[in-house]
Amino acid sequence: MESIRFISSNTVKAEKTSETNKALTPWDLQLLLVGPIQKGLLFPLPNSSPKHISPLIQHLKTSLSLTLNFFHPLAGRLAAVQHQDMTSFFINCNNAGVLFLHAVADTITISDLTQSTYVPTIVKSFFPLNGMKNLDGISNPLLGVQITQLQDGIFIGCTVNHVVADGSSFWHFFNSWSEISRSGCDILSRLPVFSLPDGVDCTVSNIPSSIVEQKASRFVLPPLKERVFHFTKGKIAELKSKANSEIGTNKISSLQALLSHLWQSIIRCRNSDSDDVTDYKLLIGARTRLNPPLSGEYFGNAVQAGTVSLKAKELLGNGIGFAAWRMNRMVALHSEEKLMRFIEEWRENPKVMTMENVTKNALVTSSSPRFNVYGNDFGWGSPIAVRSGEGNKHDGKITVFQGVEDGSVDIEVCLPPEVLEAMEYDLHFMAAVSL
């Protein structure tokens, strides 16, 4: 069995400290009891390695410290202040530091990760802080970084507390770190923004302590595997054209058509009863939907979940345009009014998410093909693959990434092995997949 061994563990701090703490919103606080974001990039081994890996590790530590000068919440801790039966949460930007691990898995090659039909289980060990919930950020780092040296490559895995950042903020940090590493200067082309614009009141002062004191039952996962399906720009364009022509519109997006195609295959391969209701949960960006809008560089969570529910016979008895149009209409309904109503209702009746909230027949999509994955050049070239960790994985977790070729998309699918195997023999689905 392949193994990983750890060479060193350090705490990296920002060179410059901040005395400003960060307030939190319902979009942040609802994530207290779920897991962090875990994403990582695979690179070819730089020419100076593996015999001379130490200078590279030190360079990454130094550039990370410089990056934290701009992203000080990541170097802090989650703070909880008790007020009788209420608790006040915020990010204490105390520069307690981030976890930095150096590990070696020298029996693993790049091809082991990129050519395998299923994502190898060892990939989970390429990420630090496994098994944590976001609430654990009170006493644990809000950011963990692990540099894993492979036989012919390097994997940079990051674990970020989800109360602190969403996917957009995660990749903003990753992009910034690679920019500073590549340039050797503590100058950024995109500075993070931590404050809300005037006129947008989304912060929360206190929530009932009982909300986070609830002891969620241990979430037991069935046996699951993960597979990455690759879709070229041309195949995605065909699906989009088909979906729009079926409905007689031009409003269905490429992603909505692609996810509908995937949704149909999963439900076919699950052999769902015709009257079974299946949910598809999407995360909808809120930054541009508020008035005034949040900055595109706003650092925090600014996404709203939305759900499309269909009976299996409705989903499978129509073309992809039917489900894609339902997705499109659901997203369009998320106006500023709807988003702010969620904020107000949450203040009145706070609810935190748990993994148990996910229903048996639900698919949940996270991340976005718009995030800049392959522009992360740390100074020795672009990454060749992206993978995610074990955080928040469940039956039906769908993670969408930018593909390595322009306009292509990779979709990482987490499902029971028998469903993934059936999808491989779903000729209608696989006709759009590039192997």
Side-chain angles (χ1 to χ4, degrees), residues 85-87 89 206-213 347 350:
D85 60 346
M86 304 293 284
T87 302
F89 287 95
N206 301 296
I207 63 174
S209 302
S210 59
I211 295 293
V212 291
E213 288 172 354
R347 283 172 171 156

Side-chain angles (χ1 to χ4, degrees), residues 1-78:
M1 179 181 294
E2 298 90 352
S3 62
I4 185 170
R5 66 183 190 276
F6 290 91
I7 306 301
S8 63
S9 175
N10 301 102
T11 298
V12 175
K13 298 184 178 184
E15 287 188 338
K16 304 172 185 176
T17 59
S18 171
E19 297 180 358
T20 304
N21 295 323
K22 187 178 185 300
L24 298 172
T25 72
W27 289 317
D28 303 317
L29 293 170
Q30 66 177 338
L31 300 169
L32 282 166
L33 294 184
V34 296
I37 300 174
Q38 293 186 309
K39 303 289 187 295
L41 297 176
L42 176 65
F43 296 85
L45 198 66
N47 292 332
S48 60
S49 304
K51 293 183 178 179
H52 302 95
I53 192 74
S54 295
L56 176 64
I57 298 298
Q58 185 56 49
H59 172 75
L60 289 172
K61 287 181 189 175
T62 301
S63 59
L64 176 59
S65 177
L66 294 174
T67 308
L68 293 173
N69 290 339
F70 301 96
F71 293 85
H72 27 274
L74 290 175
R77 295 293 183 268
L78 182 63

Side-chain angles (χ1 to χ4, degrees), residues 85-326:
D85 60 346
M86 304 293 284
T87 302
S88 174
F89 287 95
F90 59 92
I91 303 300
N92 181 3
C93 299
N94 59 3
N95 202 24
V98 307
L99 176 65
F100 188 99
L101 301 177
H102 173 205
V104 173
D106 48 15
T107 63
I108 304 297
T109 65
I110 286 175
S111 61
D112 289 333
L113 304 185
T114 59
Q115 301 302 315
S116 175
T117 300
Y118 301 109
V119 177
T121 56
I122 195 171
V123 170
K124 294 179 175 63
S125 66
F126 294 171
F127 294 89
L129 303 173
N130 283 326
M132 294 284 181
K133 286 187 169 58
N134 296 313
L135 184 62
D136 296 326
I138 292 173
S139 55
N140 289 278
L142 301 179
L143 166 64
V145 172
Q146 183 173 318
I147 313 300
T148 304
Q149 179 186 347
L150 312 179
Q151 189 177 115
D152 55 354
I154 285 181
F155 191 91
I156 301 180
C158 286
T159 298
V160 172
N161 191 295
H162 213 333
V163 168
V164 184
D166 60 9
S168 179
S169 297
F170 175 96
W171 286 108
H172 186 184
F173 158 73
F174 218 128
N175 299 159
S176 299
W177 181 20
S178 67
E179 181 181 359
I180 287 177
S181 174
R182 183 174 63 251
S183 69
C185 303
D186 60 343
I187 300 173
L188 286 183
S189 56
R190 293 174 57 225
L191 292 173
V193 174
F194 301 103
S195 59
L196 297 166
D198 292 341
V200 176
D201 179 18
C202 296
T203 57
V204 176
S205 298
N206 301 296
I207 63 174
S209 302
S210 59
I211 295 293
V212 291
E213 288 172 354
Q214 58 180 306
K215 302 297 182 183
S217 59
R218 182 172 177 81
F219 185 69
V220 179
L221 288 170
L224 298 172
K225 285 189 176 180
E226 296 158 70
R227 178 169 178 174
V228 178
F229 294 102
H230 181 70
F231 300 87
T232 65
K233 182 178 181 179
K235 289 295 185 181
I236 295 169
E238 290 176 13
L239 290 172
K240 178 181 178 180
S241 176
K242 183 175 186 293
N244 277 293
S245 64
E246 288 174 354
I247 302 300
T249 183
N250 61 1
K251 294 183 178 180
I252 293 172
S253 71
S254 297
L255 185 59
Q256 289 161 0
L258 182 56
L259 294 180
S260 297
H261 181 66
L262 175 69
W263 190 8
Q264 284 188 334
S265 179
I266 292 174
I267 298 307
R268 268 197 303 269
C269 294
R270 278 180 172 171
N271 295 316
S272 299
D273 291 339
S274 62
D275 285 323
D276 284 351
V277 175
T278 173
D279 295 337
Y280 205 120
K281 299 179 186 295
L282 295 169
L283 298 180
I284 301 157
R287 285 170 173 78
T288 61
R289 295 173 184 269
L290 299 179
N291 187 22
L294 299 182
S295 167
E297 283 70 45
Y298 172 73
F299 193 84
N301 287 280
V303 291
Q304 182 79 46
T307 302
V308 175
S309 298
L310 293 173
K311 289 185 177 181
K313 62 184 178 185
E314 294 177 300
L315 177 65
L316 301 180
N318 294 279
I320 61 170
F322 179 79
W325 184 242
R326 291 287 295 270

Side-chain angles (χ1 to χ4, degrees), residues 376-418:
N376 286 288
D377 179 355
F378 281 79
W380 63 83
S382 300
I384 54 178
V386 56
R387 294 292 184 267
S388 64
E390 67 178 21
N392 299 322
K393 287 292 173 66
H394 57 83
D395 180 358
K397 177 65 180 290
I398 312 296
T399 310
V400 182
F401 294 113
Q402 176 188 66
V404 67
E405 308 100 8
D406 180 50
S408 65
V409 171
D410 287 334
I411 300 185
E412 185 184 76
V413 181
C414 182
L415 290 167
E418 65 273 13

